[in-house]
Amino acid sequence: MDRAILAALQRDATQTASALSGRIGLSQPATWRRIKRLRDARVLSGRRVVLDREALGFGVTVFLGVKLATKGRVSLDDFERAVTAIPEVQLVEHVLGLYDYRLRVVARDLSDFERVLRRRVMTLPGVGDVEANVLLSEERRPGPL
Amino acid sequence: MDRAILAALQRDATQTASALSGRIGLSQPATWRRIKRLRDARVLSGRRVVLDREALGFGVTVFLGVKLATKGRVSLDDFERAVTAIPEVQLVEHVLGLYDYRLRVVARDLSDFERVLRRRVMTLPGVGDVEANVLLSEERRPGPL
DNA sequence: TATGAAATTGACTGTCA
DNA sequence: TGACAGTCAATTTCATA
């Protein structure tokens, strides 16, 4: 039953407990208590607003794969501190594999992105190779529940 | 002022219009009107629940960079149709650059991931090279507003 | 400011080991 | 019986005109 609630909320996070209750065949308070229990258990760890980047004038999203040149603990800390100070960086992912970090960067257009890349990213401490992919489109899936 | 509202909502999407109004120094209805206007303008394009994958038993997140072997329009359509049918794929990003697609895949553990990779991903139509990075940690940033 | 809808709480009931 | 999960009714808080 909890799975049904999570799946429904993933599909539409705006629906109310009473709307959900009808759908899954429970009373409204029972449904609400389950949602609260999931929240308290940190299974539902938050709600997030989705902003339309295009409507805000940020038409370009680029993924950067970054390889560090030097990889001591201090290097990682320095890099993370510096990269999180770049406003255009939406997401910093520390990964294991061909790259050390993966960044999601938004910019107004490609020339704006070039500025970010040259002035901000290439000057980060310890940066080695940088590889870029420009986002064309993306689709979110419900994921396995 | 709208920027302040968006920033506050990005930090915490659960706060109410009245809570926000105090923070930004407007009346509650005025704040609510601004939020509604932002929704109507599709700047606020939705709300999403955040699930804790670990709490649900999915401890492994892997990013896959996929290069297609053949790239006609039919190949792209076939690939997208097939990849969106894999439940473990949370995110499909069509990109320009070294890779053609980037996938975010979750699995219970590494051996579960190996199953997904061998049975599901490597058998996708038109797949060429596949490169993987395992997520260690990630941090979301507010982004440029 | 006023109204209706939703969230939240409390009191009570039925089931199961 | 004790723990739990449910329903219904009452209250508070929020969204909305």
Side-chain angles (χ1 to χ4, degrees), chain B residues 24-80:
Chain B
I24 63 177
L26 283 182
S27 74
Q28 183 263 332
T31 306
W32 183 83
R33 265 164 205 282
R34 280 177 182 270
I35 294 174
K36 176 166 171 47
R37 188 153 40 78
L38 290 168
R39 270 209 316 268
D40 292 346
R42 304 283 174 188
V43 174
L44 278 168
S45 55
R47 285 168 191 260
R48 189 165 293 135
V49 294
V50 183
L51 300 188
D52 185 321
R53 294 179 300 287
E54 301 233 356
L56 286 165
F58 290 89
V60 172
T61 301
V62 181
F63 300 101
L64 296 179
V66 177
K67 229 177 290 190
L68 294 189
T70 60
K71 301 185 191 177
R73 179 169 63 79
V74 175
S75 302
L76 298 184
D77 289 350
D78 282 353
F79 179 84
E80 291 189 8

Side-chain angles (χ1 to χ4, degrees), chain A residues 12-14 48-50, chain B residues 9 13-14 35 39 45-49:
Chain A
D12 175 11
T14 68
R48 191 166 293 139
V49 293
V50 183
Chain B
L9 282 179
T14 67
I35 294 174
R39 270 209 316 268
S45 55
R47 285 168 191 260
R48 189 165 293 135
V49 294

Side-chain angles (χ1 to χ4, degrees), chain A residues 112-128:
Chain A
D112 185 38
F113 173 73
E114 190 190 6
R115 174 187 61 79
V116 176
L117 185 65
R118 296 174 74 133
R119 301 278 181 79
R120 302 293 216 145
V121 175
M122 301 310 276
T123 62
L124 285 169
V127 160

Side-chain angles (χ1 to χ4, degrees), chain B residues 67-122:
Chain B
K67 229 177 290 190
L68 294 189
T70 60
K71 301 185 191 177
R73 179 169 63 79
V74 175
S75 302
L76 298 184
D77 289 350
D78 282 353
F79 179 84
E80 291 189 8
R81 200 177 357 262
V83 81
T84 56
I86 304 176
E88 288 84 0
V89 172
Q90 283 193 313
L91 190 55
V92 181
E93 291 163 339
H94 187 194
V95 295
L96 210 53
L98 190 51
Y99 303 109
D100 296 307
Y101 287 93
R102 295 162 36 87
L103 311 178
R104 181 179 179 125
V105 176
V106 296
R108 302 198 164 275
D109 50 41
L110 279 179
S111 72
D112 185 36
F113 173 72
E114 190 191 6
R115 175 188 59 80
V116 176
L117 184 66
R118 295 173 74 135
R119 301 278 181 78
R120 301 293 216 143
V121 176
M122 301 308 277

Side-chain angles (χ1 to χ4, degrees), chain A residues 3 6 9-10 13 42-52 55-56 58 63 84 87-99 102 104 106 131-141 143-145, chain B residues 6 9-10 13-14 42-52 55-56 58 63 84 87-99 102 104 106 131-141 143-145:
Chain A
R3 296 303 166 109
L6 292 176
L9 283 179
Q10 283 226 288
R42 305 282 175 188
V43 173
L44 276 170
S45 54
R47 287 171 190 257
R48 191 166 293 139
V49 293
V50 183
L51 300 188
D52 186 319
L56 285 165
F58 291 88
F63 299 101
T84 56
E88 288 85 359
V89 171
Q90 285 195 313
L91 191 55
V92 181
E93 291 163 340
H94 187 194
V95 295
L96 210 54
L98 190 51
Y99 303 109
R102 298 160 42 85
R104 183 180 177 123
V106 297
E131 179 257 342
N133 288 92
V134 177
L135 179 65
L136 295 176
S137 66
E138 68 182 337
E139 188 184 351
R140 266 165 218 283
R141 308 255 67 220
L145 283 181
Chain B
L6 293 177
L9 282 179
Q10 283 226 291
T14 67
R42 304 283 174 188
V43 174
L44 278 168
S45 55
R47 285 168 191 260
R48 189 165 293 135
V49 294
V50 183
L51 300 188
D52 185 321
L56 286 165
F58 290 89
F63 300 101
T84 56
E88 288 84 0
V89 172
Q90 283 193 313
L91 190 55
V92 181
E93 291 163 339
H94 187 194
V95 295
L96 210 53
L98 190 51
Y99 303 109
R102 295 162 36 87
R104 181 179 179 125
V106 296
E131 180 257 342
N133 288 92
V134 177
L135 179 65
L136 295 176
S137 67
E138 70 182 333
E139 188 184 352
R140 264 165 221 283
R141 309 254 68 221
L145 283 181

